[in-house]
Amino acid sequence: MIEDVPRRVAEQVRAGFGLSISAMELVTHGADQHARVWLARTLDGGRYAVKLSGGGTAAGLVVTAYLADQGVPGIASPLRTRDGGLAVDHDGCRLSVVPWVSDQRALDGPMTDAHWRAYGEVLAAVHAVPMTEELRRLLPAGGAAYPSIVASTRAVAERLRDPAERLRDPDDPAGSLAGELAREWSAVADRVDALIRDVERLAVDRRAGLGPDVVCHGDPHLGNLLLGADGQVWLIDWDDAVLAPPECDLMFVVGGVLAFAPVSASQQATTLDGYGPVHIDRARLAWFLAVRALDDLSDWTRQALDPDAEATDRDRAARIVRGLVSEVGLVTLADVALRDLDRRS
């Protein structure tokens, strides 16, 4: 029985993709608030990821189809619809289907040396694909949204400085959480201000020479990496694909990015060994780290302060904020990278 999704979604998959679904299970991990994903089982025993996307564009589907056609390893190519498309419309959302390639997320481990090396090989193969006019037209430039990210960060900081926000009823769980987040931000206020200044400064200083641009996943952290046997990996969830310098992806290896899943020096070395010869521009790396730090910090804080969100969602968002501002978090990593850049210059 299909219980977790309206039956008409399964009927849409059958009509659009020719798959007869017997069961669907909602996938609960993932941070995209504008998408829902199910593990779908078909009558013939097949397993597929069925995704309903309410935000962004279909560029991620176009990219994965192209990468698979180019023979890039570790890419699950989306199924084509009966009329040759990559998705069908469902109530204004994109409904897409991809083969379910693995149950094992890299975040849940264990990742062997072979997996780490394959991770680097996949990133290298993605970055090496020939550029097409369609990709240039569809994909945004990595980091191009930094002005809005800076503005959002300043707005959240101002909100948390508001006495009405800081002094909400401490007996109310939402009010207590707001007060805690205000204290967390206050403790790193100088660091956040420095990140904002450096993001704006580097964007101006390097505007003419930020490239070369290649196809980048844009969010290749371990939560978007699946593991298979014999060291095989698959890089999934391409909704944030961009055109950017390789550092946009490599910061997830060199910088680590996730406070709860740091990449050790040996794991970094193994991944870069799989990637192959590369010159990592430290200024570009630091800039992308800082932009990502500000984006994550402001976005997760907004979610934690959302009065309409479920308490469990607010608590999860607050935990992520605590991780971002911790000694191993992304705000710290970006700050260290920028300070190191200043020392070298």
Side-chain angles (χ1 to χ4, degrees), residues 13 18-23 39-48 97:
V13 171
L19 295 178
S20 297
I21 296 176
S22 59
L39 166 56
R41 293 177 171 83
T42 57
L43 294 174
D44 61 2
R47 299 199 304 166
Y48 299 87
V97 180

Side-chain angles (χ1 to χ4, degrees), residues 64 83 127 142 145 154 224 256 292 296 311:
T64 49
D83 61 4
H127 296 166
R154 285 178 169 144
N224 286 329
R292 177 63 183 241
D296 281 3

Side-chain angles (χ1 to χ4, degrees), residues 89-271:
D89 178 79
H90 181 81
D91 292 340
C93 296
R94 291 184 309 281
L95 188 62
S96 59
V97 180
V98 177
W100 188 274
V101 291
S102 173
D103 296 317
Q104 189 68 34
R105 292 195 307 160
L107 273 183
D108 302 325
M111 278 185 74
T112 64
D113 283 349
H115 286 127
W116 286 106
R117 187 170 293 104
Y119 179 29
E121 291 170 351
V122 169
L123 290 177
V126 169
H127 296 166
V129 294
M131 192 62 62
T132 68
E133 287 305 314
E134 182 180 29
L135 293 180
R136 291 189 186 280
R137 177 174 54 83
L138 288 177
L139 295 181
Y146 84 87
S148 63
I149 291 170
V150 165
S152 178
T153 304
R154 285 178 169 144
V156 173
E158 187 63 29
R159 177 180 175 183
L160 289 173
R161 284 193 291 266
D162 186 342
E165 191 71 63
R166 296 172 66 93
L167 299 176
R168 288 167 63 180
D169 183 0
D171 293 327
D172 174 13
S176 176
L177 192 59
E180 178 190 344
L181 290 172
R183 291 189 293 273
E184 295 280 4
W185 273 66
S186 179
V188 296
D190 291 345
R191 194 178 299 172
V192 172
D193 288 343
L195 290 183
I196 289 174
R197 289 195 302 270
D198 284 336
V199 161
E200 293 181 320
R201 174 177 60 82
L202 284 173
V204 171
D205 291 349
R206 304 183 61 80
R207 183 170 292 154
L210 195 59
D213 284 344
V214 298
V215 173
C216 286
H217 180 280
D219 198 26
H221 58 69
L222 300 187
N224 286 329
L225 195 71
L226 301 179
L227 308 181
D230 301 321
Q232 187 173 9
V233 300
W234 289 270
L235 192 54
I236 62 170
D237 196 353
W238 286 79
D239 290 346
D240 294 320
V242 292
L243 295 183
E247 288 84 358
C248 181
D249 280 346
L250 291 176
M251 70 174 176
F252 290 84
V253 178
V254 178
V257 176
L258 299 182
F260 54 88
V263 179
S264 71
S266 63
Q267 291 164 345
Q268 178 187 132
T270 303
T271 306

